[in-house]
């Protein structure tokens, strides 16, 4: 018994002595040893010295082959592509230019089946742990987990299973097989335009947002009360700018189409707006032009319905250390900041897909989106302040920002490590590193635009909204304008009113007063939801929307420019998705009820100048002898055509001529006449019936069978407030009624 007690005492004494010695060692070491490095510091030093991670590290795959074996660009590394059973499609085969990447855990969905039918596109379906092992559909390349591992790409071996980041394997597979364009989407999105609305040409003409800080694409397409997942909540409810610049730009490297149906809202927005069971049914303005996001402005974009051009393939990378509902949004912000280094940009396009959302729990999504709610503002602020050294290559900038984001806690060091390997794989499969931008690629001459889309009905929880808010607002304005006239308007009148949303109405105005625009809106706003005003005084126009109580779009042309040719050209360049362009001068009364009987595939016009001698409708001939034709036409005695409609199919030819005429001194009234003679055969033209008035008193000659009257002398009516003619003769007819007493 005594021996046992002695043994225990010795053990306890020895333990105390060891603890004491360790304490002394630690005290001495703290005074002499350098500070301990954090994992991020250690990784930054590793990245600075490591040019080829494949050479430094060594590991083995399940098959025993070297994971980091060195490869040269052009090596063939085979992986099974089981869309066509047993056909191992090798990397670097350079077989296809256009690829679609999607991941799924379901058997082939109807939306994936549809994607496989698109001509010229190859679909890659990336599998995961829950994907059926026998997944198969003709014309689809299916990459199972085993297939992905057999690619021997360093990135793939670090992708976790049951992760959305498995798409990275599909991206690399497509790039290695010659992709020049990659479209990514989800298995619950259905395209409505076969990917035809995206732009692949090197330059585009259109609108670039000219506001500050952030851009809400849902507002741009007519849903100002909605915001996409990842939009900073501190900006919700703020009055976003409607200022844009119209010009020629380098085609955006990343293009995202908005999605009708059940689009990508955050969980907060969903919980506020939907019932428990039914899905949302959101519609966006499908006629609105695309919007380019400029350098210095951020906007969230996701991995659904998104097109990447070749120079942005590096931006496809999906991080692995963030939550599922955060990964593609953080990817998007990271990519936008780096796009500025290459002169690239992001753009949003009108809806070209419909989503029937797979089952989600909004409450679980809200938990998953926590970082989006609390960290997005900090991320945007950080990205605006981050700078890349001038001496660094672009990929070095990518690595630097990736590590910096890990240091700031937006993702983990593992993602910065994985991006290093991602870049290594891109180089190994032959992807060309983008150059850093040194000069701007935009057209120096830009036009100022106030752009407002046609506002759509918002989705509201338990809503009784009939979707006719615009019409009721219009009727209210009409009754206030004509207080002495009784309008008998029924629901039938509203329901059966003809709306020409397929036509862009362009109105050049010489007077931007409140009442002037108010009258024009009453004349045309009911039938033309897409209307553009054009004039020379942007400052006078800027205060009008708040006074009018409804949004209006305005194009500013420079002082001294001839309004007709410039207004039509600039409106065409905006990029509306319409069937045609109808130009009307503000002193011409268009009888809107006559539009419905006119063919949208032909040109309509009023009286024209005499035809240029010995010339016909040959645009190519004009391009070579344009100056001669302008000289021959200049000074000709002619009638002014103050109304003209150009169908979309003739847009490019007409726009080309209008731009050439912009440099001439040709009288503005002759331009449309010359353009029509030079581009349109007589069989494809419709001469509008109208009446030219010699004096205001002759408005008594107004007849509803005419398509137009000129001049209306609207300015005099506004200044003298003589609205009897409009209130008793014109506006009732707009409501499909005869004259009302």
């Amino acid at each position: 018994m005594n021996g046992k007690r002695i043994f225990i005492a010795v053990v306890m004494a020895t333990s105390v002595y060891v603890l004491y010695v360790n304490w002394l060692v630690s005290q001495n070491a703290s005074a002499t040893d350098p500070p301990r490095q954090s994992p991020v510091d250690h990784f930054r030093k590793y990245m600075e010295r490591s040019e080829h991670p494949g050479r430094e590290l060594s590991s083995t795959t399940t098959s025993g082959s070297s994971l980091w074996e060195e490869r040269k660009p052009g090596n063939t590394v085979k992986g099974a592509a089981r869309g066509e059973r047993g056909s191992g499609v090798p990397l670097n085969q350079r077989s296809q230019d256009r690829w679609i990447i999607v991941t799924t855990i379901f058997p082939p969905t109807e939306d994936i089946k549809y994607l496989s039918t698109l001509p010229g596109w190859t679909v890659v379906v990336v599998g995961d742990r829950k994907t059926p092992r026998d997944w198969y559909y003709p014309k689809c390349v299916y990459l199972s987990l085993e297939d992905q591992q057999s690619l021997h790409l360093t990135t793939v071996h670090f992708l976790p299973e049951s992760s959305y980041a498995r798409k990275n394997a599909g991206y690399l597979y497509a790039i290695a097989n010659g992709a020049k364009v990659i479209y990514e989407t989800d298995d619950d999105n259905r395209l409505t335009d076969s990917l035809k609305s995206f732009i692949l040409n090197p330059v585009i003409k259109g609108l670039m947002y000219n506001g500050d800080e952030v851009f809400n694409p849902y507002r741009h397409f007519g849903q100002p009360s909605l915001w996409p997942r990842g939009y900073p909540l501190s900006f919700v409810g703020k009055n976003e700018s409607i200022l844009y610049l119209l010009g020629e730009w380098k085609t955006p490297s990343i293009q995202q189409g908005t999605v009708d149906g059940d689009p990508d809202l955050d969980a907060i927005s969903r919980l506020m707006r939907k019932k428990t069971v039914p899905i949302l049914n959101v519609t966006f303005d499908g006629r609105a032009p695309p919007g380019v996001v400029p350098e210095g402005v951020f906007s969230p974009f996701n991995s659904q319905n998104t097109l990447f051009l070749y120079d942005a393939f590096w931006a496809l990378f999906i991080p692995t250390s963030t939550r599922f509902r955060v990964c593609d949004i953080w990817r998007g912000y990271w990519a936008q900041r780096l796009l500025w280094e290459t002169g690239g940009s992001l753009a949003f396009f009108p809806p070209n897909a419909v989503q029937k959302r797979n089952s989600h729990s909004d409450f679980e999504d809200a938990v998953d989106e926590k970082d989006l709610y609390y960290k997005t503002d900090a991320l945007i602020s950080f990205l605006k302040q981050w700078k890349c050294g001038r001496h660094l290559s672009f990929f070095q900038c990518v690595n630097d920002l990736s590590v910096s984001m890990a240091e700031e806690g937006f993702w983990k060091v593992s993602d910065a490590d994985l991006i290093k390997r991602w870049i290594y794989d891109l180089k190994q499969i032959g992807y060309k590193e983008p150059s850093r931008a040194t000069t701007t690629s935009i057209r120096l001459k830009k036009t100022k635009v106030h752009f407002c889309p046609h506002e759509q009905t918002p989705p509201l929880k338990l809503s009784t909204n009939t979707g006719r808010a615009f019409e009721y607002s219009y009727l209210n304005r009409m009754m206030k304008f004509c207080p002495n006239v009784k309008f008998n308007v029924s629901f039938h009148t509203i329901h059966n009113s003809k709306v020409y949303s397929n036509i862009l109405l362009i109105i050049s105005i010489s007077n931007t007063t409140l009442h002037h625009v108010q009258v024009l809106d009453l004349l045309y706003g009911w039938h033309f939801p897409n209307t553009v005003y054009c004039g020379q005084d942007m400052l006078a126009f800027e205060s009008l929307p708040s006074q009018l109580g409804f949004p209006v779009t305005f194009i500013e042309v420079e002082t001294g420019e001839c309004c007709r040719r410039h207004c039509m050209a600039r409106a065409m360049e905006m990029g509306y998705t319409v069937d045609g362009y109808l130009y009307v001068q503000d002193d011409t009364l268009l009888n809107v009820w006559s539009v419905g009987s006119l063919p949208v595939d032909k040109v309509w016009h009023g009286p024209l100048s005499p035809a240029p001698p010995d010339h016909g409708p040959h645009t190519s001939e004009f391009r070579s002898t344009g100056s001669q034709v302008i000289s021959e036409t200049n000074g000709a005695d002619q009638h002014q055509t103050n109304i003209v409609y150009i169908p979309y199919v003739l847009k490019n030819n007409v726009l080309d001529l209008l731009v050439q005429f912009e440099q001439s001194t040709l009288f503005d009234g002759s331009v449309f006449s010359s353009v029509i003679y030079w581009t349109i055969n007589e069989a494809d033209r419709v001469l509008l019936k109208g009446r030219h008035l010699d004096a205001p008193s002759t408005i008594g000659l107004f007849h509803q069978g005419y398509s137009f009257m000129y001049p209306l002398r609207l300015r005099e009516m506004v200044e003298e407030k003589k609205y009897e003619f409009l209130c008793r003769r014109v506006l009732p007819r707009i409501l499909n009624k005869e004259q009302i007493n």
Side-chain angles (χ1 to χ4, degrees):
M1 187 69 176
N2 290 335
K4 186 175 181 180
R5 290 178 179 175
I6 293 172
F7 175 79
I8 293 174
V10 170
V11 172
M12 292 179 63
T14 302
S15 299
V16 171
Y17 177 78
V18 171
L19 291 172
Y20 176 72
V21 171
N22 287 340
W23 177 79
L24 286 177
V25 172
S26 64
Q27 289 295 103
N28 292 333
S30 64
T32 59
D33 290 352
R36 184 172 178 268
Q37 288 185 331
S38 70
V40 173
D41 291 334
H42 176 76
F43 180 69
R44 182 182 286 278
K45 288 192 174 183
Y46 154 70
M47 294 215 346
E48 289 173 352
R49 72 174 185 270
S50 172
E51 183 66 22
H52 301 286
R55 295 175 180 174
E56 285 209 357
L57 303 180
S58 178
S59 180
T60 57
T61 65
T62 55
S63 61
S65 60
S66 173
L67 174 61
W68 298 113
E69 60 184 356
E70 184 176 355
R71 300 187 305 275
K72 296 180 180 180
N75 284 4
T76 299
V77 185
K78 293 186 178 181
R82 296 191 295 183
E84 299 177 5
R85 290 292 183 184
S87 60
V89 179
L91 292 175
N92 303 105
Q93 184 172 296
R94 311 295 182 195
S95 57
Q96 297 291 338
D97 288 341
R98 302 181 182 187
W99 292 73
I100 298 173
I101 311 299
V102 63
T103 185
T104 186
I105 60 174
F106 302 108
T109 65
E110 292 302 315
D111 295 323
I112 289 180
K113 292 177 182 178
Y114 171 77
L115 292 174
S116 70
T117 66
L118 297 179
W121 291 86
T122 300
V123 179
V124 175
V125 179
V126 183
D128 207 336
R129 179 183 296 176
K130 295 182 179 180
T131 310
R133 294 187 62 83
D134 60 347
W135 200 101
Y136 170 78
Y137 196 74
K139 299 182 180 180
C140 290
V141 176
Y142 174 61
L143 296 177
S144 67
L145 288 174
E146 294 79 9
D147 298 333
Q148 297 166 42
Q149 290 294 329
S150 69
L151 298 177
H152 298 301
L153 296 168
T154 62
T155 302
V156 175
H157 292 279
F158 285 84
L159 298 177
E161 295 184 3
S162 300
S163 170
Y164 192 68
R166 301 301 310 185
K167 284 182 95 173
N168 290 329
Y171 304 145
L172 290 171
Y173 182 87
I175 296 169
N177 281 283
K180 295 297 184 290
V181 179
I182 290 179
Y183 169 75
E184 65 168 343
T185 187
D186 282 347
D187 59 359
D188 55 359
N189 281 250
R190 169 61 66 93
L191 285 168
T192 57
D193 75 337
S194 303
L195 295 175
K196 294 179 180 179
S197 61
F198 291 123
I199 297 175
L200 304 181
N201 296 328
V203 295
I204 65 169
K205 293 179 179 179
L207 293 179
M208 177 176 282
Y209 183 62
N210 198 33
D212 298 324
E213 299 186 88
V214 297
F215 173 77
N216 182 356
Y218 289 179
R219 185 213 64 82
H220 179 89
F221 293 106
Q223 290 284 4
S225 66
L226 301 182
W227 61 90
R229 175 170 57 95
Y231 189 76
L233 296 183
S234 63
F235 284 85
V236 173
K238 289 187 177 180
N239 291 325
E240 189 174 344
S241 174
I242 60 173
L243 295 174
Y244 290 77
L245 295 176
L246 174 62
E248 185 176 88
W249 323 101
K250 175 186 174 183
T251 297
S253 305
I254 302 176
Q255 305 173 24
Q256 178 158 92
T258 48
V259 177
D260 282 338
D262 203 351
D264 193 17
L265 309 174
D266 65 26
I268 290 178
S269 182
R270 289 181 177 279
L271 290 169
M272 291 170 56
R273 293 178 179 273
K274 64 172 287 188
K275 300 178 183 180
T276 304
V277 178
I279 63 173
L280 294 175
N281 187 20
V282 178
T283 58
F284 292 100
D285 183 1
R287 304 290 183 180
V292 180
V293 182
E295 180 177 330
V297 176
F298 286 94
S299 181
F301 74 91
N302 59 25
S303 56
Q304 304 170 22
N305 197 29
T306 308
L307 187 91
F308 288 74
L309 302 184
Y310 182 86
D311 62 351
F313 281 178
W314 54 268
L316 285 160
F317 174 83
I318 299 285
T320 63
S321 65
T322 64
R323 303 294 291 267
F324 167 65
R325 298 283 292 172
V326 176
C327 64
D328 57 342
I329 301 300
W330 261 209
R331 183 272 299 266
Y333 282 124
W334 167 80
Q336 283 176 78
R337 177 58 189 88
L338 289 166
L339 278 176
W340 305 350
E341 301 298 321
T342 66
S345 63
L346 164 71
F348 291 91
F349 284 71
N352 62 345
V354 176
Q355 182 177 24
K356 294 183 178 179
R357 195 170 184 246
N358 291 329
S359 179
H360 280 247
S361 166
D362 292 331
F363 293 103
E364 292 179 3
D365 284 351
V367 174
D368 213 37
E369 294 170 359
K370 180 180 177 181
D371 282 355
L372 299 182
Y373 306 149
Y374 293 103
K375 291 186 177 182
T376 300
D377 286 282
L379 176 58
I380 290 175
S381 177
F382 161 74
L383 291 173
K384 284 187 174 182
Q385 296 175 15
W386 176 81
K387 304 292 183 184
C388 184
R390 294 182 179 179
H391 64 286
L392 298 179
S393 69
F394 175 68
F395 277 161
Q396 288 174 325
C397 291
V398 174
N399 283 326
D400 185 80
L401 178 58
S402 303
V403 174
S404 297
M405 286 182 61
E407 291 176 328
E408 297 295 324
F410 296 112
W411 54 36
K412 294 181 180 179
V413 176
S414 59
D415 272 323
D417 182 12
L418 194 55
I419 288 171
K420 177 75 173 179
R421 306 174 197 285
W422 166 263
I423 292 175
Y424 175 75
D425 282 336
L426 287 176
K427 291 180 177 180
Q428 291 298 95
I429 60 180
Y431 178 69
K432 184 179 179 181
E433 177 179 2
S435 301
R436 296 186 66 182
T438 56
T439 58
T440 180
S441 61
I442 64 173
R443 188 175 69 183
L444 295 179
K445 185 177 180 181
K446 299 177 288 293
T447 302
K448 295 179 181 179
V449 174
H450 274 209
F451 170 71
C452 296
H454 178 46
E455 190 167 325
Q456 308 294 296
T457 302
L460 298 174
K461 182 178 181 180
L462 303 177
S463 172
T464 58
N465 193 315
T466 62
R468 291 286 176 172
F470 169 78
E471 287 83 352
Y472 289 128
S473 174
Y474 176 87
L475 290 173
N476 185 54
R477 296 197 301 273
M478 182 180 289
M479 288 185 286
K480 288 183 178 179
F481 183 77
C482 303
N484 298 323
V485 176
K486 182 179 180 181
F487 295 100
N488 296 317
V489 181
S490 64
F491 176 80
H492 177 79
T493 301
I494 298 175
H495 183 73
N496 292 286
S497 60
K498 183 67 175 178
V499 176
Y500 307 109
S501 60
N502 62 324
I503 295 175
L504 178 64
L505 179 64
I506 307 157
I507 306 175
S508 65
I509 54 178
S510 57
N511 186 7
T512 53
T513 64
L514 175 65
H515 292 295
H516 198 143
V517 177
Q518 183 183 31
V519 171
L520 290 169
D521 176 73
L522 289 175
L523 290 173
Y524 306 123
W526 177 279
H527 291 275
F528 294 96
N530 296 306
T531 300
V532 171
Y533 294 91
C534 180
Q536 298 180 349
D537 195 350
M538 175 69 82
L539 290 177
F541 189 85
E542 284 181 346
S543 62
L544 288 185
S546 60
Q547 300 179 54
L548 290 168
F550 56 89
V552 285
T553 296
F554 182 82
I555 301 174
E556 182 184 52
V557 294
E558 296 180 3
T559 302
E561 290 186 335
C562 301
C563 280
R564 300 178 203 192
R565 67 187 84 173
H566 290 85
C567 288
M568 177 68 95
R570 298 295 84 79
M572 285 181 165
E573 290 175 346
M574 286 180 69
Y576 278 88
T577 305
V578 290
D579 293 332
Y581 308 86
L582 176 57
Y583 171 88
V584 177
Q585 197 160 302
D586 63 351
D587 58 357
T588 300
L589 174 63
L590 167 67
N591 294 341
V592 294
W593 51 84
S594 67
V595 173
S597 61
L598 296 170
V600 295
D601 59 344
K602 293 188 177 183
V603 172
W604 326 327
H605 59 85
L608 301 176
S609 309
D614 301 323
H615 292 286
H618 305 292
T619 306
S620 59
E621 181 183 350
F622 175 84
R623 292 193 182 101
S624 61
T625 61
S627 59
Q628 177 184 353
V629 174
I630 290 174
S631 176
E632 292 172 349
T633 311
N634 198 13
D637 181 24
Q638 44 82 55
H639 296 288
Q640 297 187 23
T641 178
N642 295 313
I643 178 171
V644 63
Y645 168 84
I646 303 295
Y648 177 81
V649 293
L650 296 175
K651 170 189 171 182
N652 291 336
N653 285 343
V654 170
L655 181 57
D656 183 41
L657 294 178
L658 289 175
V659 170
Q660 294 192 50
F661 271 120
E662 285 180 337
Q663 309 303 321
S664 76
T665 58
L666 180 65
F667 179 62
D668 198 35
S670 301
V671 170
F672 282 152
S673 297
S674 299
V675 168
I676 291 172
Y677 278 125
W678 270 93
T679 58
I680 315 299
N681 291 306
E682 188 172 356
D684 295 323
R685 306 199 306 253
V686 175
L687 178 61
L688 299 176
K689 295 176 60 177
R691 183 180 293 278
H692 285 260
L693 308 178
D694 297 325
S697 59
T698 60
I699 59 176
L701 299 176
F702 168 79
H703 190 280
Q704 63 188 35
Y706 293 131
S707 294
F708 72 92
M709 293 176 59
Y710 168 81
L712 181 61
R713 304 192 188 280
L714 183 60
R715 179 180 296 183
E716 288 84 347
M717 286 187 178
V718 170
E719 291 176 351
E720 300 175 13
K721 296 185 177 180
K722 295 182 178 179
Y723 303 136
E724 193 74 8
F725 167 68
L726 296 177
C727 290
R728 295 195 177 275
R729 299 292 303 277
V730 180
L731 295 181
R733 187 68 183 90
I734 288 177
L735 297 177
N736 295 320
K737 299 288 183 180
E738 299 298 335
Q739 180 178 347
I740 299 177
N741 296 320

